[in-house]
Amino acid sequence: MSTMFRPWPWALVGLTFCAACPGFAKGGKLLVIPMDGSHWLSMHEVVQELSVKGHECVVLAPELSMHIREGQYYTLRTFPVTFSKDLFQELMGNNFHKLFDPEPFLKKFPDMITTFKKVIDMYLSFCTDLVYNKELIKSLEDAHYDAILTDPVFPCGALVAQYLSIPAVYFLRGLPCGLDAESTQCPDPSSYIPRLGTENTDQMTFLQRVKNILYPLPHNILCHMSYSPFSRLTSQLLHRDMSIVDVLSHGSVWLVRTDFVMDYPKPIMPNMVFIGGINCASAKQLSQEFEAYVNASGEHGVVVFSLGSMVSEIPMTKAMEIAEALGTIPQTVLWRYTGNPPSNLSKNTKLVKWLPQNDLLAHPKTRAFITHAGSHGIYEGLCNGVPMVLMPLFGDQMDNAKRMESRGAGVTLNVLEMTSDDLSKALKTVINDKSYKENIMRLSALHKDRPISPLDLAVFWVEFVMRNKGAPHLRAAAHDLNWIQYHSLDVIAFLLAIVLTVVLIAVKCLKFCFQKCFGKKGKAKKATKSKSH
Amino acid sequence: MSTMFRPWPWALVGLTFCAACPGFAKGGKLLVIPMDGSHWLSMHEVVQELSVKGHECVVLAPELSMHIREGQYYTLRTFPVTFSKDLFQELMGNNFHKLFDPEPFLKKFPDMITTFKKVIDMYLSFCTDLVYNKELIKSLEDAHYDAILTDPVFPCGALVAQYLSIPAVYFLRGLPCGLDAESTQCPDPSSYIPRLGTENTDQMTFLQRVKNILYPLPHNILCHMSYSPFSRLTSQLLHRDMSIVDVLSHGSVWLVRTDFVMDYPKPIMPNMVFIGGINCASAKQLSQEFEAYVNASGEHGVVVFSLGSMVSEIPMTKAMEIAEALGTIPQTVLWRYTGNPPSNLSKNTKLVKWLPQNDLLAHPKTRAFITHAGSHGIYEGLCNGVPMVLMPLFGDQMDNAKRMESRGAGVTLNVLEMTSDDLSKALKTVINDKSYKENIMRLSALHKDRPISPLDLAVFWVEFVMRNKGAPHLRAAAHDLNWIQYHSLDVIAFLLAIVLTVVLIAVKCLKFCFQKCFGKKGKAKKATKSKSH
């Protein structure tokens, strides 16, 4: 790489800008408002890299947090919250256990909605505790941050950025209900862009296109439920009416954790930067423990099995079904599982409380990956070219799974309905049918074939926003138009009115002329006729 | 740069792909079908760079050509043409002289259309001579090129790529009548994307938006006139009906010579790569002759004046007007001019037959740039941060000029209507009003603030298409939909039909129930009433 690209004078540009923004030369100041859970894990790498490059990074998080801890590369600043610690632990802890509940969807639905509402109330409560903490807000103002890096899935960071008038960089997989498209003014035709949860691909039949339009409608109610409290909070703070799109459209640059190997090609906007695979760029050497497992696996190699950082145990019945299936393959299975071991566990299956997923997937002896199809896991499978058995649980996971399946790189199973035999068959298929390995290797190569690593790209754009105090030149003028103007409906109505007026006048004139020319003759004829009677 | 980005394993990917495409490891084979004139000048740099990287580049051009000559870095292959050499020279030579004709537009218009038609006939004739040259086509087929790099403004290269089933990379500033948007399936709302020739910006009043819709309509006639012969030719060759959009949509990657500092932000597609400024990345040391001019200019510095590679002389009246204005400023003016020197030329004005435009603009003593606002010139002014006096003549030049003017980086003059005094004032304004220099410096810094140089980006994507045999993963599925499907009109009609049917049935049922419940009573009442009479 070092000899591949000629020097480009952006370093010089940095200096030019430093004249206008003193302090940037010796490193900028970045406020990070992350989303807890797996979302923080990949953002963490960007923060680390920015810190290595000399920027001062402050991570702001509520005192109740799962994964956001003190770190070597940033200052963690927590703020006190009023939300109950017990409820927090109940909501974030074993809540995902319910996903495996075999009850019918309609029976589970009210319970799911209640939990969902509680989660939103929790994030809203955190956000209210943040923005009404006068001392904290004052100190954030005084710190004069160059930019805020935030995950907008719960838009507290976006809200703070707008409240403090600090340029924002968003770091996200996507937003529900097309809010990301709406907030970037990005066209989003439903005819070939599959909607969240539909499991459609970009090639849809007529009925799939009907589903693609109808399916999101109930989602919009959930969206309204989730986001309107945040827009109300912003409206209160800014003393003007703010929609959630107004709040989110403050983002200068959107770092989107996807690419067009994983996602289907679609219109994008100039301030959207695609950094899919940011979490799997650098695989490290395995620890002795895991190296030993892999080496002992012999010619058959290993299968890696994890349902993500949020789901580490599952109901015993399901665990036993899975354990039975895992015993039918000759590979060694490394299963991340913290619950009680199923009694029927085979010798080839090793339960571990944690596993170095990306490093294991990068090992040449890894034959398959059983995953819940979270975007991080999918990219780790993709980067390392490992065929997948996909067991999606919630959110975008069904769609991620569909993307891999539609490209022949994996087999999707319904975790609630699948039998032990289904899992066994799926595993044998992705391991023994060479087309799965070939397809994932082709996708992996395509994914990596890019001029800059996603991590460097993300770091570049955060720095860009820091040194340029935003990116207004990338903000489409569509933000200043209302719906009628955007679609030129006013112009079309105006032109139609002119055409109609002209036609009307022309018809009137013709009628008048016709009457003038032929009217008298007509009358004359009539008169002649009357006389002849 | 060498320490800025970590190694990214795309080189490894190259090797992976080489297994599938033997020969790529030792360099690929690229066929270049350029557009003559200034368009070739920046494409030339990409070809040179690809050649340096070990690829075999063959440039294919008609034997009649202005700028396409034998070169050190590629093999030139010319093909015989039937078009008259005299007419070629007449059309390409001093044809631009007419632009300065002070006659009213409506009087000049028929003549312009005739010339335009002749130019199209010429390119069509070249193209026909190419595709019906059996020996040439056979040898192109036998050469097994990995990709074709072509400028699609006249789509002969695109046509050949489709005919020979070779992936194509397009290198262009843009296409008229929104053909580029249509052929990439890129949304292109007229409410904030100014149309070619309207001189609108992205912030339009209602009437400007009306103009933005109406103005392109007559252009579509010209477009049809220009492009339909090429689609007919493709249809004949491929024995199936091909529109010009079908021909152009064959392009795998579109290298667009603009960016969002020069152009306004708007929707883009994943296979569009923005390489604006590719022509001005590397300024060289001035030759002794020009170094002497610049050094002799003293504290006032120099003004660079060129109307582009196509216009080197202008009518004497206009030249004298300009010469008079140039005499009113204290700067030394370097004017690229091949005609007879105007008799009133001042001492400060040096006429030269050719000038190293980019190198001169890069000199710190250059104070202003008088340009015809061609995209190459604009970018050279932009890269080097030189305020401009813009004298647009045709094509996209009026719009380029508007973009610089709307950003406070230049003053636009109407070359036909301007007086000597106007030019003098404009020059003094851009030189003495500091805001022009500040604005162009700000734009220049923004333009350069990118992770990769445009030349490296262009080279990367040509190589990408060569090693991957295209970029089908970047091709939107919208290409497979017709207009009705794309806009979901069929789905909307279907849903409306269902809603209407349900409403109709509900109304009928209600009516029926109503009649059942109240109908008899009504009759009974009536009957009672009748009896009582």
Side-chain angles (χ1 to χ4, degrees), chain B residues 312-314 316 337-342 351 353:
Chain B
S312 53
E313 52 182 296
I314 51 180
M316 186 50 79
Y337 185 79
T338 58
N340 290 327
L351 299 187
K353 293 224 180 311

Side-chain angles (χ1 to χ4, degrees), chain A residues 1-2 4-10 13 16-17 49 53 185 187 189-192 202-203 206-207 209-210 213-214 260-261 263 265-270 277 281 441-442 444-457 460-461 464 467-468 472-478 480-481 484-488 490-492 494-495, chain B residues 1-2 4-10 13 16-17 49 53 185 187 189-192 202-203 206-207 209-210 213-214 260-261 263 265-270 277 281 441-442 444-457 460-461 464 467-468 472-478 480-481 484-488 490-492 494-495:
Chain A
M1 188 85 169
S2 61
M4 202 174 76
F5 294 130
R6 82 210 60 254
W8 182 244
W10 80 269
V13 175
T16 311
F17 274 90
E49 194 60 27
K53 294 194 84 178
Q185 292 287 345
S190 78
S191 49
Y192 73 99
D202 61 345
Q203 302 279 352
F206 176 76
L207 286 179
R209 288 194 291 115
V210 173
I213 282 191
L214 293 183
F260 299 105
V261 175
D263 254 330
K266 59 175 192 129
I268 53 184
M269 294 302 281
M441 285 305 287
R442 184 178 50 78
S444 183
L446 263 184
H447 164 72
K448 288 176 187 163
D449 197 358
R450 60 174 101 182
I452 304 184
S453 84
L455 181 55
D456 285 323
L457 202 58
F460 173 85
W461 281 105
F464 182 99
R467 66 177 159 258
N468 295 305
H473 70 298
L474 298 181
R475 186 181 169 85
D480 308 323
L481 301 175
I484 291 176
Q485 290 167 330
Y486 180 90
H487 293 284
S488 298
D490 51 352
V491 176
I492 292 167
F494 173 73
L495 294 177
Chain B
M1 187 82 169
S2 61
M4 204 173 76
F5 295 129
R6 83 210 59 258
W8 182 244
W10 80 268
V13 176
T16 310
F17 274 90
E49 194 59 27
K53 294 195 84 178
Q185 292 287 344
S190 77
S191 49
Y192 73 99
D202 60 347
Q203 302 279 353
F206 176 76
L207 286 179
R209 287 195 291 116
V210 172
I213 282 191
L214 292 183
F260 298 106
V261 175
D263 253 331
K266 59 174 192 132
I268 54 184
M269 294 303 281
M441 284 306 286
R442 184 178 50 78
S444 182
L446 263 186
H447 163 72
K448 286 176 188 165
D449 197 357
R450 60 172 101 182
I452 303 184
S453 84
L455 181 56
D456 284 324
L457 201 58
F460 173 85
W461 281 104
F464 182 98
R467 66 177 161 260
N468 295 305
H473 70 299
L474 299 181
R475 186 182 170 84
D480 307 324
L481 300 175
I484 290 176
Q485 289 167 329
Y486 180 90
H487 293 283
S488 298
D490 50 352
V491 176
I492 292 167
F494 172 72
L495 294 177

Side-chain angles (χ1 to χ4, degrees), chain B residues 155 158-159 162 170 230-231 234 242-250:
Chain B
L159 190 160
Q162 193 150 67
Y170 296 156
F230 289 93
S231 54
T234 321
M242 298 285 285
S243 72
I244 190 62
V245 169
D246 295 332
V247 177
L248 290 169
S249 65
H250 178 73

Side-chain angles (χ1 to χ4, degrees), chain B residues 274-317:
Chain B
F274 293 85
I275 54 160
I278 193 166
N279 54 311
C280 54
S282 49
K284 287 179 287 292
Q285 182 70 33
L286 287 175
S287 68
Q288 274 194 327
E289 179 196 359
F290 287 98
E291 190 70 49
Y293 282 137
V294 175
N295 286 339
S297 69
E299 54 163 338
H300 292 296
V302 299
V303 168
V304 179
F305 179 12
S306 167
L307 296 178
S309 61
M310 308 291 275
V311 184
S312 53
E313 52 182 296
I314 51 180
M316 186 50 79
T317 346

Side-chain angles (χ1 to χ4, degrees), chain A residues 262-503:
Chain A
M262 154 87 160
D263 254 330
Y264 304 111
K266 59 175 192 129
I268 53 184
M269 294 302 281
N271 63 343
M272 293 161 84
V273 176
F274 293 85
I275 54 160
I278 192 165
N279 54 310
C280 54
S282 49
K284 289 178 287 292
Q285 181 72 31
L286 287 175
S287 68
Q288 273 192 328
E289 177 196 0
F290 287 98
E291 190 71 48
Y293 282 136
V294 174
N295 286 339
S297 68
E299 54 162 336
H300 292 298
V302 299
V303 167
V304 179
F305 178 13
S306 167
L307 295 177
S309 61
M310 309 291 274
V311 183
S312 53
E313 52 183 295
I314 51 179
M316 186 49 80
T317 349
K318 192 51 72 183
M320 286 183 70
E321 254 176 48
I322 291 175
E324 190 187 330
L326 299 179
T328 65
I329 56 167
Q331 282 75 22
T332 301
V333 182
L334 297 171
W335 181 3
R336 176 180 180 259
Y337 185 79
T338 59
N340 289 327
S343 56
N344 61 342
L345 203 69
S346 294
K347 275 189 182 168
N348 73 330
T349 310
K350 316 288 174 200
L351 298 188
V352 287
K353 292 224 180 312
W354 173 88
L355 50 77
Q357 187 169 285
N358 190 43
D359 309 337
L360 275 172
L361 291 170
H363 199 287
K365 278 194 143 184
T366 301
R367 298 283 179 267
F369 178 29
I370 312 174
T371 170
H372 67 307
S375 62
H376 287 100
I378 288 272
Y379 267 112
E380 289 177 358
L382 190 58
C383 284
N384 297 302
V386 182
M388 293 174 246
V389 172
L390 306 135
M391 293 183 187
L393 300 170
F394 64 94
D396 60 340
Q397 296 166 5
M398 284 76 170
D399 300 287
N400 298 341
K402 190 72 193 179
R403 276 149 180 72
M404 286 300 105
E405 192 178 60
S406 73
R407 277 137 180 174
V411 171
T412 305
L413 294 174
N414 182 326
V415 78
L416 295 181
E417 293 171 9
M418 73 175 189
T419 63
S420 174
D421 199 37
D422 291 336
L423 176 56
S424 171
K425 267 189 198 153
L427 273 168
K428 286 173 185 164
T429 304
V430 301
I431 293 170
N432 301 327
D433 181 341
K434 279 186 183 170
S435 71
Y436 286 89
K437 182 69 182 174
E438 280 164 14
N439 286 331
I440 193 78
M441 285 305 287
R442 184 178 50 78
L443 293 177
S444 183
L446 263 184
H447 164 72
K448 288 176 187 163
D449 197 358
R450 60 174 101 182
I452 304 184
S453 84
L455 181 55
D456 285 323
L457 202 58
V459 167
F460 173 85
W461 281 105
V462 175
E463 287 190 308
F464 182 99
V465 169
M466 288 168 78
R467 66 177 159 258
N468 295 305
K469 302 277 174 210
H473 70 298
L474 298 181
R475 186 181 169 85
H479 284 284
D480 308 323
L481 301 175
N482 62 35
W483 189 81
I484 291 176
Q485 290 167 330
Y486 180 90
H487 293 284
S488 298
L489 298 181
D490 51 352
V491 176
I492 292 167
F494 173 73
L495 294 177
L496 270 181
I498 291 180
V499 170
L500 280 179
T501 312
V502 169
V503 168

Side-chain angles (χ1 to χ4, degrees), chain B residues 43-80:
Chain B
M43 188 192 256
H44 177 271
E45 291 205 36
V46 180
V47 175
Q48 174 172 330
E49 194 59 27
L50 283 161
S51 166
V52 168
K53 294 195 84 178
H55 304 293
E56 184 192 329
C57 303
V58 174
V59 175
L60 185 66
E63 58 185 358
L64 295 178
S65 168
M66 268 199 315
H67 288 118
I68 305 166
R69 305 256 172 278
E70 298 278 355
Q72 189 187 342
Y73 295 96
Y74 53 85
T75 310
L76 177 67
R77 185 158 181 192
T78 56
F79 56 89

